[in-house]
Amino acid sequence: MDQEPIRLKGFGVSPGIAIGKAFLAEENHIPIPSHTPQDEEEIEQECALLQKAIEQVEQDLERSKQSIPADLKDHAHILDAHQLILRDPLFFNQTLETIRRERLNAMQALKRSIRRISELFAAMDDDYIRSRAADVRSIGERILRYLAGQKTSSFDEIRERVIIVARDISPADAAQIQLEKTLGFITDAGGRTSHTAIIARALGIPAIVGAERASRTIRTGDLVIVDGASGRIIVHPTDEQIAFYFELQDALESYLKEITRKAHLPAVTQDGYKIRVEANIELIEEVVAAKDHGAESIGLYRTEFAYLNRQAPPNEEELYQEYKELAELMAPAFVTVRTFDLGAEKLGTWMPPIDQENPALGLRGIRLCLQHREFFKTQLRAILRAGAVARNMRVMLPLISGTGELRQAKAVYEEAKQELRRQRVPFDETMPFGIMIEVPSAVAVADVLAREVDFFSIGTNDLIQYALGIDRVNPHVAHLYDPLHPAVIRLIRQVVATAHEAGIPVTICGEMAGEPLYVPLLLGLELDCLSMNPQAIPRVKNLVRRSTLDECRRFARTALALTTAADIRDALQELVVRLFPEEFKFFDPQAVKPNHRSGEGGTRFSR
């Protein structure tokens, strides 16, 4: 008897349609022994077991790097990140200390370290940094499997082309996957910045992450359809559904190839309004993808990666070389470098962590930098020096809440300039200086802030959660996090109007910028620039070129008059389906909505 179709839902992170049999990468339970070392000799034996397992995992990772497929060579840094975790004192030394202090066996102590460090990362507000919690769990579980004597991967069992289903896929796992036998990825865990998402986009393989119940619902051999754009999964599809998605697959591939070929063209509306489209990146290796997808410049370079998993902070020369390389690769296009935006709790032994019940509202970003001014000045000097290479750098400060804070930061910036002048070190004297607008207080005093800076960049991810009082990683309230809330749209409109009155440009660089559904609204609000993940650029540019500013302005006025997010979303969906039928026959605007806590995993599918 045929089984009924089942619909699952996750985040579509790499567009495309995959139809095929599933391969479930099952994870055997890792039993944690209960015995405890009884004397000093047994304690040191446990420490030696841990060290040996870590060395074996490090050797495995090195072998994986050597055998990584050519298509993934640009992403070998992901394995480097796992090797850094292995050497991180917070991970290794503290596990040894736990064994010795609390007389635990190696697996008990390691399990505790994995949980503690994962919780630290998961509490971070930044999506990219938060998703690194999965790296810690992945590398920790790999060590646990060695200690337990279990095999570390089941991917070598794949014999045909399949859709891989797993709780998560680590970079080391990805290096072992036979790409010619991989149709798509589905994982329970992960977000848009997880390594599974990054790898899938690099390979052009349809992928869905954050599907939660997928590995508990799908079995090896099940026929599955993956829609990597909308995040839809169909298990046991009907013949009609299979035929529909095969047709959609062919049309989608042709459409994506066409818009990617045109991605290098400027984003100009049919009535002549030009808006810049830029890329958000966190690693130099992503420059190639940014250029290939049509980025006109780098609108946000996140600098935090250089500070993670280290025993000491990077020095000025290290940072200068990194920023210099970035400037040279992008020249003459400009690069906007955001200064350090992490909390003290993420920096390991070189900055002692502080106890913060709510890190998102605590000592982080510019606040942390102003408490550690020499640390802040080191980064500013490196940015200023790199700016002299091609005169294409801009510096941007995060989480500015008011004029007093901004002036304190500018004072440190001026000190850095004065020091470089005295030392006769070349730097860019006229480097543009801007701030991110991420908290409601900055919106309220935007007219004053605009007199102090050269540009604004609206960080919608933080602005939305602070304006609505919602922790977007809290599953109890995450469904209330909504970019189309009337308050959010009015805040954006206020920032744009204030900036333009002061004669400075405004960028929007949160996830909202890269969502095609929002293009007419953001055009109508008259943003000067949209900055987004590189993979989103071709679709956004295509929609800009098919729009008119006049119609988008009319829609923005309509949206500003509506009183609920649901009403605005309905009006926007009606507009985009009418204006862009060729786009939204592939990408369902209904998929762009807040994450609701509805048990979607078992609902029945109707096309």
Side-chain angles (χ1 to χ4, degrees):
M1 180 177 174
D2 291 341
Q3 293 178 279
E4 285 292 312
I6 299 171
R7 183 185 73 175
L8 303 174
K9 190 75 170 65
F11 297 109
V13 293
S14 183
I17 306 294
I19 304 169
K21 289 182 180 179
F23 175 85
L24 179 62
E26 296 186 81
E27 295 182 344
N28 298 323
H29 172 67
I30 307 173
I32 306 297
S34 58
H35 76 268
T36 56
Q38 299 302 308
D39 53 35
E40 291 302 318
E41 182 180 354
E42 290 186 7
I43 287 172
E44 291 310 312
Q45 286 174 354
E46 294 296 326
C47 291
L49 285 172
L50 176 68
Q51 187 143 2
K52 183 179 179 182
I54 287 176
E55 288 170 358
Q56 288 177 314
V57 170
E58 191 160 21
Q59 290 168 13
D60 280 356
L61 290 175
E62 194 58 42
R63 282 193 292 271
S64 294
K65 281 171 62 178
Q66 300 307 317
S67 61
I68 199 167
D71 289 340
L72 281 179
K73 287 294 184 186
D74 286 344
H75 296 270
H77 61 272
I78 296 174
L79 292 172
D80 292 335
H82 275 210
Q83 289 180 311
L84 285 171
I85 291 170
L86 286 173
R87 303 183 192 118
D88 190 332
L90 192 64
F91 187 80
F92 178 63
N93 292 352
Q94 288 195 15
T95 305
L96 291 177
E97 185 182 335
T98 301
I99 293 172
R100 293 181 174 123
R101 186 181 64 248
E102 302 188 30
R103 291 181 175 268
L104 299 178
N105 67 53
M107 294 180 72
Q108 289 170 332
L110 180 59
K111 190 79 174 175
R112 187 173 296 185
S113 292
I114 295 167
R115 184 174 62 250
R116 183 179 64 249
I117 299 169
S118 295
E119 287 172 354
L120 281 176
F121 276 96
M124 262 309 291
D125 188 58
D126 184 279
D127 282 342
Y128 181 78
I129 303 301
R130 188 170 62 247
S131 65
R132 302 290 73 82
D135 296 342
V136 175
R137 288 191 295 272
S138 172
I139 203 69
E141 288 177 9
R142 199 174 180 88
I143 300 167
L144 284 171
R145 292 189 187 285
Y146 261 111
L147 289 167
Q150 294 183 2
K151 65 180 181 180
T152 57
S153 174
S154 59
F155 294 119
D156 54 359
E157 298 172 8
I158 295 174
R159 297 288 180 268
E160 58 184 331
R161 298 192 78 197
V162 294
I163 294 167
I164 293 174
V165 182
R167 189 179 67 81
D168 201 3
I169 298 172
S170 75
D173 289 334
Q176 297 175 36
I177 290 172
Q178 302 171 68
L179 299 178
E180 70 278 5
K181 294 181 179 177
T182 304
L183 296 170
F185 294 118
I186 302 171
T187 63
D188 296 349
R192 300 182 193 279
T193 55
S194 67
H195 286 323
T196 303
I198 293 169
I199 289 166
R201 286 193 294 262
L203 298 172
I205 293 175
I208 295 172
V209 302
E212 295 186 355
R213 296 176 55 187
S215 69
R216 286 173 286 166
T217 304
I218 302 171
R219 304 267 69 88
T220 294
D222 285 350
L223 186 60
V224 175
I225 294 174
V226 171
D227 184 344
S230 70
R232 289 196 180 95
I233 302 161
I234 313 168
V235 189
H236 312 307
T238 65
D239 289 345
E240 181 189 12
Q241 290 162 354
I242 294 169
F244 172 80
Y245 273 95
F246 268 128
E247 185 179 337
L248 186 65
Q249 184 181 50
D250 290 342
L252 175 58
E253 288 176 1
S254 298
Y255 175 73
L256 290 175
K257 285 177 184 176
E258 179 187 353
I259 64 171
T260 301
R261 279 197 303 269
K262 297 177 180 177
H264 66 284
L265 297 173
V268 182
T269 64
Q270 293 181 5
D271 50 356
Y273 180 74
K274 185 179 188 309
I275 187 168
R276 292 185 62 83
V277 180
E278 302 172 345
N280 298 341
I281 65 172
E282 43 256 329
L283 298 164
I284 287 177
E285 291 83 355
E286 293 178 283
V287 165
V288 173
K291 288 184 172 182
D292 286 349
H293 286 85
E296 297 173 46
S297 46
I298 302 300
L300 171 63
Y301 182 61
R302 301 182 179 98
T303 58
E304 292 74 34
F305 192 79
Y307 295 87
L308 297 174
N309 303 313
R310 301 178 60 113
Q311 297 187 42
N315 60 40
E316 181 181 325
E317 191 60 28
E318 287 179 80
L319 295 174
Y320 166 68
Q321 291 298 334
E322 176 186 334
Y323 305 153
K324 173 176 174 286
E325 182 180 359
L326 181 61
E328 290 171 337
L329 287 170
M330 285 303 301
F334 66 76
V335 174
T336 303
V337 180
R338 184 183 69 186
T339 59
F340 181 86
D341 189 20
L342 281 180
E345 72 279 0
K346 299 296 173 288
L347 300 178
T349 55
W350 58 270
M351 185 175 287
I354 58 175
D355 186 22
Q356 301 191 92
E357 288 191 14
N358 190 344
L361 297 177
L363 188 62
R364 56 165 283 214
I366 198 65
R367 300 165 183 172
L368 181 67
C369 290
L370 290 175
Q371 284 205 13
H372 298 272
R373 296 191 176 211
E374 288 304 315
F375 160 84
F376 183 35
K377 196 190 301 179
T378 295
Q379 183 179 29
L380 291 173
R381 284 173 56 102
I383 295 169
L384 285 163
R385 289 174 58 197
V389 174
R391 305 285 169 176
N392 65 333
M393 301 282 276
R394 307 197 308 174
V395 64
M396 180 167 69
L397 307 183
L399 207 68
I400 292 292
S401 62
T403 312
E405 200 169 48
L406 173 58
R407 287 176 180 168
Q408 288 182 59
K410 287 180 74 175
V412 181
Y413 186 59
E414 288 304 318
E415 285 175 24
K417 285 184 171 183
Q418 289 168 11
E419 288 178 5
L420 292 171
R421 287 189 197 104
R422 284 197 302 270
Q423 296 163 2
R424 299 184 183 279
V425 176
F427 70 96
D428 186 355
E429 288 270 8
T430 59
M431 181 179 292
F433 181 94
I435 61 171
M436 294 196 72
I437 303 293
E438 301 175 276
V439 292
S441 63
V443 179
V445 295
D447 57 330
V448 182
L449 295 172
R451 295 197 288 266
E452 304 267 347
V453 300
D454 299 308
F455 63 92
F456 283 162
S457 187
I458 303 173
T460 52
N461 297 355
D462 274 347
L463 183 61
I464 294 167
Q465 81 164 356
Y466 291 139
L468 303 184
I470 290 165
D471 179 358
R472 59 199 167 110
V473 301
N474 182 328
H476 302 292
V477 295
H479 62 289
L480 299 173
Y481 177 93
D482 196 335
L484 295 181
H485 191 290
V488 174
I489 296 174
R490 293 180 186 201
L491 288 170
I492 294 171
R493 190 266 310 264
Q494 183 178 340
V495 173
V496 173
T498 303
H500 287 175
E501 188 175 334
I504 65 172
V506 189
T507 296
I508 194 165
C509 69
E511 289 179 14
M512 192 175 181
E515 176 47 61
L517 176 66
Y518 303 146
V519 165
L521 176 62
L522 298 179
L523 274 173
L525 292 173
E526 298 187 57
L527 273 297
D528 300 291
C529 175
L530 306 176
S531 190
M532 64 201 69
N533 289 332
Q535 292 74 19
I537 291 173
R539 289 176 65 195
V540 169
K541 277 191 160 185
N542 177 60
L543 298 191
V544 170
R545 287 194 295 268
R546 294 184 61 81
S547 304
T548 66
L549 180 61
D550 185 56
E551 182 153 26
C552 292
R553 279 173 172 162
R554 286 200 303 272
F555 176 78
R557 287 195 293 270
T558 298
L560 286 163
L562 296 172
T563 56
T564 70
D567 289 343
I568 295 170
R569 179 169 286 99
D570 288 345
L572 189 51
Q573 288 169 353
E574 182 181 333
L575 178 71
V576 297
V577 169
R578 176 170 58 82
L579 292 181
F580 317 119
E582 78 296 338
E583 166 83 9
F584 287 99
K585 72 180 178 183
F586 303 121
F587 306 102
D588 183 357
Q590 290 282 347
V592 186
K593 61 177 65 176
N595 299 323
H596 293 280
R597 291 178 292 135
S598 57
E600 285 186 280
T603 51
R604 299 299 173 191
F605 177 85
S606 58
R607 198 179 69 212

